[in-house]
Amino acid sequence: MEEYKSLKIIQKSPNSLVYYLYLNRSRRFNALSHDFFTEFPKAISSLDQNPNVAVIILAGSGKHFCSSVNFQTLADVFKETHAADCARNVKRLQRHIKFMQEAITALECCRKPVIAAVHGACIGGAIDLITACDIRYCSSDAFFSIKEVDLAMTADLGILQRLPSIVGSGNAMELALTGRRFTGSEAKDLCLVSKVFTSKEALEEGVKVVADEIATKSPLAVIGTKAVLLRSRDLTVEQGLDYVATWNSGTLLSDDLKEAISAHSQKRKPKFAKL
């Protein structure tokens, strides 16, 4: 397994198909550094391509999940805009923003489901991260804030594009314009997270149960469900139905369907080939 400066990958149980991807700069409250934006898509891709991985849990080491983008990372972006030609500065800045966006979008490009387990602070860029995840949970000590507006910025890593479909456009607008802090309980009411656990320990155990359950399913069915849900987000119902018909016409002939039916009739747990 490759070593990273800003991340840590752990398989907690031998033979488990669930892998943990930790934001691993606890002394900086896991603030997103330049190393993160370089390493994160590589780490996600390596897990996606690993046949021994069925589900990924994204969590933060230390006291907090993530305290947004590191200020030094932002400062470094503006250092690059030193050309005398304003247009060239604009294109450099645009290129860097796209580079950072692609790191977050790697979560959606990953075929395997990614579950966010949030404890403590989840600020700014951290919400960009979790809104690109497939399922989100938090502990009761979690708190959230879309902080970019307080830094005289328009959030540009995906939160303004993904959050409205999760919490509704009105709620997204209010949270993004005020930058106010809200609790895990409110996040649950807004449907930003699916459940709030009483403690970090309960969160870890609860998320593990969910991930282990998903890992028992047909990997073809799991990646298909994620792909169709994400694609249907941008399609009409008719277009979405056509997309899933095309998808299933290529996957229903797999051995997984036969195994699922056989296991059901024999009252045993199915055993699916890795993907």
Side-chain angles (χ1 to χ4, degrees), residues 121-186:
C122 183
I123 307 297
I127 304 184
D128 289 291
L129 266 181
I130 68 168
T131 53
C133 290
D134 304 301
I135 307 173
R136 293 163 293 277
Y137 297 102
C138 74
S139 57
S140 58
D141 71 334
F143 59 93
F144 305 80
S145 173
I146 303 172
K147 203 67 177 170
E148 285 85 349
V149 70
D150 288 334
L151 299 176
M153 293 175 57
T154 300
D156 59 7
L157 298 185
I159 191 169
L160 300 183
Q161 291 68 40
R162 297 184 176 101
L163 189 65
S165 64
I166 298 171
V167 306
S169 59
N171 289 322
M173 184 73 77
E174 186 258 334
L175 294 171
L177 289 178
T178 63
R180 69 174 177 84
R181 176 166 158 169
F182 57 102
T183 65
S185 177
E186 185 176 357

Side-chain angles (χ1 to χ4, degrees), residues 26-97:
S26 57
R27 291 184 179 179
R28 300 286 184 179
F29 301 138
N30 299 317
L32 306 180
S33 63
H34 187 275
D35 286 332
F36 166 84
F37 288 102
T38 301
E39 295 175 343
F40 192 69
K42 294 178 181 178
I44 290 291
S45 179
S46 72
L47 291 169
D48 189 19
Q49 300 303 319
N50 185 341
N52 295 313
V53 178
V55 183
I56 302 164
I57 296 174
L58 178 64
S61 59
K63 293 182 178 181
H64 298 286
F65 176 73
C66 176
S67 61
S68 194
V69 178
N70 187 291
F71 284 133
Q72 186 59 50
T73 303
L74 295 175
D76 290 342
V77 170
F78 292 106
K79 283 181 181 178
E80 295 179 10
T81 57
H82 52 71
D85 187 336
C86 180
R88 282 170 170 76
N89 285 331
V90 168
K91 297 309 292 184
R92 283 195 183 97
L93 187 55
Q94 182 187 44
R95 186 169 63 245
H96 199 92
I97 292 170

